[in-house]
């Protein structure tokens, strides 16, 4: 769980690690802008593929890459589905759910694929940046670019407390497993809800302190 958020792989000795972090930020920002402004999915998908290939070349475990992409891929799936069924156009297929008719359109699917590819491409660039530049270098580079000091300070606090909350989360999970909290589907759902409530409560306590 800690490997998902940490920049442990960014501290390895490789060619990209030696590049000035300010140059990395400029390239990252430029590529993200190009991806966002792309009118077709080919360019964002090529950028995503290039980023994945680079991370694999840096010997980052493919399992870790897939885990880090699970959240963004969920967003991509939701975008494609919503655009496909909410955009009017040439019908592809019609579904009837609970008395409501939903019609998928070709235009909606096309727009959804474009939006999803933009998200995937931009996220892949960010993942590559986090794999070749430690967090403290990125924060230093942001200050060099005259980013507001309050913004950088908030980012530092967020980065710090992510690991504090992960530590607390792992303690709760261990305690739940000792009490057989995940021995069945029902108990697992109950344990997950308790875990979520505990993490939210502790995060609120951290924010107020």
């Amino acid at each position: 769980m800690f490997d998902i958020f940490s920049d442990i792989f960014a501290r390895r000795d490789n060619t990209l690690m030696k590049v000035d972090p300010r140059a990395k930020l400029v390239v990252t920002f430029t590529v993200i802008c190009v991806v966002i402004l792309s009118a077709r999915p080919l360019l964002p998908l090529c950028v995503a593929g290039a980023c994945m290939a680079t991370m694999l070349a840096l010997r980052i475990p493919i399992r870790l890459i897939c885990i880090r992409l699970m959240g963004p891929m969920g967003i991509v799936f939701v975008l494609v589905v919503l655009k496909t069924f909410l955009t009017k156009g040439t019908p592809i297929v019609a579904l009837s759910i609970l008395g409501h008719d939903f019609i998928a359109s070709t235009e909606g699917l096309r727009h959804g694929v474009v939006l999803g590819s933009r998200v995937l491409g931009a996220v892949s660039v960010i993942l590559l940046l986090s794999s070749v530049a430690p967090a403290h270098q990125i924060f230093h580079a942001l200050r060099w670019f005259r980013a507001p000091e309050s913004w950088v300070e908030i980012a530092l606090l967020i980065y710090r407390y992510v690991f504090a909350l992960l530590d607390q989360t792992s303690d709760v999970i261990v305690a739940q497993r000792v009490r057989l909290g995940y021995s069945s589907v029902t108990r697992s759902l109950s344990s997950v809800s308790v875990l979520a409530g505990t993490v939210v409560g502790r995060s609120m306590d951290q924010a107020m302190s």
Side-chain angles (χ1 to χ4, degrees), residues 53-192:
T54 304
M55 286 187 283
L56 291 176
L58 294 174
R59 294 181 298 174
I60 298 176
I62 187 172
R63 176 177 175 274
L64 181 60
I65 298 175
C66 293
I67 292 176
R68 289 182 172 181
L69 284 174
M70 284 178 62
M73 288 303 296
I75 296 175
V76 169
F77 176 77
V78 171
L79 283 175
V80 173
V81 171
L82 289 179
K83 291 294 292 184
T84 301
F85 285 94
L86 296 181
T87 302
K88 295 182 179 180
T90 306
I92 302 176
V93 64
L95 299 177
S96 181
I97 302 176
L98 299 176
H100 298 279
D101 294 328
F102 299 93
I103 300 175
S105 66
T106 304
E107 292 78 4
L109 178 60
R110 186 182 301 115
H111 294 162
V113 170
V114 171
L115 288 177
S117 64
R118 290 174 182 173
V119 173
L120 183 60
V123 169
S124 300
V125 174
I126 296 296
L127 287 181
L128 179 58
L129 175 64
S130 66
S131 301
V132 298
H136 69 278
Q137 291 186 3
I138 296 176
F139 294 139
H140 279 297
L142 288 173
R143 285 298 299 141
W144 188 88
F145 283 115
R146 298 295 187 271
E149 185 176 353
S150 58
W151 291 13
V152 177
E153 185 176 354
I154 291 173
L156 281 167
L157 289 174
I158 292 174
Y159 185 76
R160 163 67 181 86
Y161 282 112
V162 161
F163 295 98
L165 289 176
L166 283 176
D167 193 19
Q168 295 174 359
T169 301
S170 62
D171 291 341
V172 175
I173 291 176
V174 170
Q176 289 177 333
R177 285 178 176 173
V178 170
R179 295 176 175 83
L180 302 179
Y182 297 93
S183 59
S184 65
V185 176
T186 304
R187 291 178 66 89
S188 297
L189 292 175
S190 177
S191 297
V192 169

Side-chain angles (χ1 to χ4, degrees), residues 34-55:
V34 172
V35 166
I36 292 176
L37 296 176
S38 176
R40 296 183 179 181
L42 180 60
L43 178 59
L45 292 178
C46 289
V47 170
C51 291
M52 301 300 172
T54 304
M55 286 187 283

